[in-house]
Amino acid sequence: MNIRLEIYGCLIAITIVITGCKKVQYEPDPSDIPSGAPLVTVIYDPGALGDRSYNDLIYAGVERAALTRGLRTLQLSPSSASEGLAALDTYFEQMRMLTDTVRRLLIVTGAEYDEYIREHSKELDGNSLADLLYLETKEPLPGKGSTLCLPYYGAMYEAGAVSRIYSGTTLLIAANSELQVIQESVKGFTDGFNVNYSESEENPELLLEWISDETVGGFRIDDGSAMDIVYGGGSMPVANLVFPICGGASGTFYQLSNLFGGYEYVGIDVTSVSPHCPFSVVKHIDRALDLCIGEWLSAEGMPKHQTLDYADGWTEFVLHPYTDMQKYFTEKVLSAEMLGTIHEDALKKEAGDE
């Protein structure tokens, strides 16, 4: 069996050795024998890196934290779930056997490995030098390790409310209905869209399209399937504004707009995409990873679980300044006062005060 793992990060070199059909071993490259510097390893969902949004922000945040703190990194982007699980198997086996004094942090980025992580986290209990950080869950791990959640409801609520005022028909494209983070995003956007802040007599339509019905599906899509969703088999798009909440698949919908036109889109986890993108919703996961790595290195360590929310700026709704968007909103359609009202409502709703 051939196993291919893409390796990112410039601070450590690793040789991958395949033994049999189920083992993956990492052996130090002789030209880069590890020093005593702490090692941060990141394992992504299959094909996640290169999405130019959430996962690439994770990569940048980890590398920035490593450079400023003198750490070594190993970032793995498997091409399949089986490759990712094989890498996790190797990591946990090594953690049980290591006798050196190097501190190690494993960061697992998504739901593809949820069952495995929850089943095996206790295996790290006996190693004081090994730790685990599992992203985007509100459920703490049963064994050793920390969890992190950046709720998206508030920022999505604000985006939904503004989209109703800005657009006619809006198409919300979601990866799948199984993941909590996607459910929360869809609910936030829908709740905001359904409030008529401008008191307009128009009743714009919100369309919802799920890409997949699998728990971790919908984060990749081919051009043909994306065309069918956006253009509905015709030459004109089915909506004026498209909001793809689908990770790496979002880039396909951005490209279709840039190539064929007919609709604008809301960016996700990007602050600037193109003139076809009037506003974005951003999760500052890069800053969150820098925070967590700093906590891990501290005497107190990382909390068992922490939530970094909208009120403290960890997620954000961003109006883009080009094409006079801010002037359009603040002077012609949506006043600064109304924007402030929407923002305050979003904060209260995410906090559960309404």
Side-chain angles (χ1 to χ4, degrees):
M1 177 181 70
N2 293 324
I3 296 181
R4 179 181 64 81
L5 292 176
E6 296 180 28
I7 303 179
Y8 296 78
C10 59
L11 303 182
I12 186 169
I14 294 289
T15 299
I16 300 178
V17 180
I18 310 301
T19 59
C21 62
K22 291 186 178 180
K23 285 275 188 177
V24 182
Q25 286 184 303
Y26 303 107
E27 294 184 353
D29 187 313
S31 66
D32 186 24
I33 297 174
S35 66
L39 172 63
V40 179
T41 299
V42 187
I43 298 183
Y44 293 86
D45 282 341
L49 269 182
D51 63 358
R52 298 184 180 182
S53 59
Y54 179 79
N55 290 285
D56 286 3
L57 285 175
I58 292 174
Y59 173 85
V62 169
E63 292 301 316
R64 185 163 58 245
L67 286 170
T68 58
R69 294 176 173 87
L71 312 178
R72 292 172 296 136
T73 66
L74 174 61
Q75 304 217 37
L76 306 177
S77 182
S79 61
S80 67
S82 60
E83 287 186 5
L85 289 170
L88 284 171
D89 262 338
T90 298
Y91 185 90
F92 279 92
E93 181 177 347
Q94 287 186 339
M95 290 306 96
R96 292 191 298 268
M97 298 170 59
L98 285 175
T99 57
D100 62 31
T101 59
V102 175
R103 292 190 63 184
R104 288 170 167 83
L105 172 64
L106 172 65
I107 301 174
V108 180
T109 67
E112 182 77 47
Y113 314 115
D114 184 85
E115 183 178 351
Y116 183 98
I117 290 298
R118 296 189 181 281
E119 180 181 347
H120 291 268
S121 63
K122 292 182 179 180
E123 296 177 20
L124 300 183
D125 288 352
N127 189 336
S128 62
L129 296 175
D131 215 335
L132 170 66
L133 175 61
Y134 181 35
L135 305 185
E136 299 300 357
T137 178
K138 296 180 180 179
E139 300 178 22
L141 296 173
K144 188 175 183 179
S146 300
T147 49
L148 174 69
C149 179
L150 277 66
Y152 234 163
Y153 180 93
M156 289 289 179
Y157 180 97
E158 194 166 350
V162 173
S163 295
R164 177 191 177 102
I165 298 168
Y166 179 71
S167 176
T169 302
T170 296
L171 172 61
L172 186 61
I173 304 172
N176 66 73
S177 60
E178 301 299 315
L179 282 180
Q180 185 180 54
V181 65
I182 300 295
Q183 295 170 358
E184 178 184 78
S185 298
V186 170
K187 179 169 173 46
F189 189 91
T190 303
D191 287 352
F193 191 91
N194 287 335
V195 179
N196 186 5
Y197 283 95
S198 67
E199 299 181 353
S200 170
E201 294 182 0
E202 296 181 3
N203 190 27
E205 186 177 9
L206 176 62
L207 308 175
L208 174 60
E209 182 76 28
W210 301 100
I211 297 178
S212 174
D213 57 4
E214 298 180 3
T215 304
V216 293
F219 294 101
R220 284 183 279 186
I221 191 170
D222 61 79
D223 292 349
S225 298
M227 288 281 289
D228 287 341
I229 291 174
V230 173
Y231 293 95
S235 59
M236 295 297 294
V238 300
N240 308 101
L241 183 70
V242 172
F243 190 7
I245 308 175
C246 46
S250 299
T252 302
F253 296 101
Y254 300 165
Q255 284 295 96
L256 291 181
S257 176
N258 295 335
L259 289 172
F260 302 107
Y263 66 91
E264 294 180 298
Y265 54 86
V266 182
I268 186 164
D269 293 326
V270 289
T271 55
S272 180
V273 182
S274 84
H276 299 289
C277 180
F279 40 88
S280 293
V281 180
V282 180
K283 181 175 290 192
H284 297 292
I285 189 66
D286 52 340
R287 299 200 324 235
L289 264 296
D290 184 73
L291 171 71
C292 290
I293 290 172
E295 291 172 337
W296 170 61
L297 293 171
S298 72
E300 295 78 15
M302 292 183 294
K304 183 66 176 175
H305 174 79
Q306 61 184 324
T307 296
L308 304 177
D309 58 23
Y310 183 49
D312 293 324
W314 293 101
T315 60
E316 183 180 11
F317 171 73
V318 182
L319 281 175
H320 295 175
Y322 46 72
T323 64
D324 292 325
M325 274 305 306
Q326 289 187 335
K327 181 178 179 181
Y328 172 82
F329 275 96
T330 57
E331 295 183 6
K332 296 182 180 180
V333 177
L334 190 60
S335 67
E337 181 181 0
M338 193 178 297
L339 276 171
T341 298
I342 293 172
H343 182 71
E344 289 302 315
D345 285 355
L347 288 172
K348 291 176 184 177
K349 289 180 179 294
E350 181 171 285
D353 295 338
E354 286 191 3

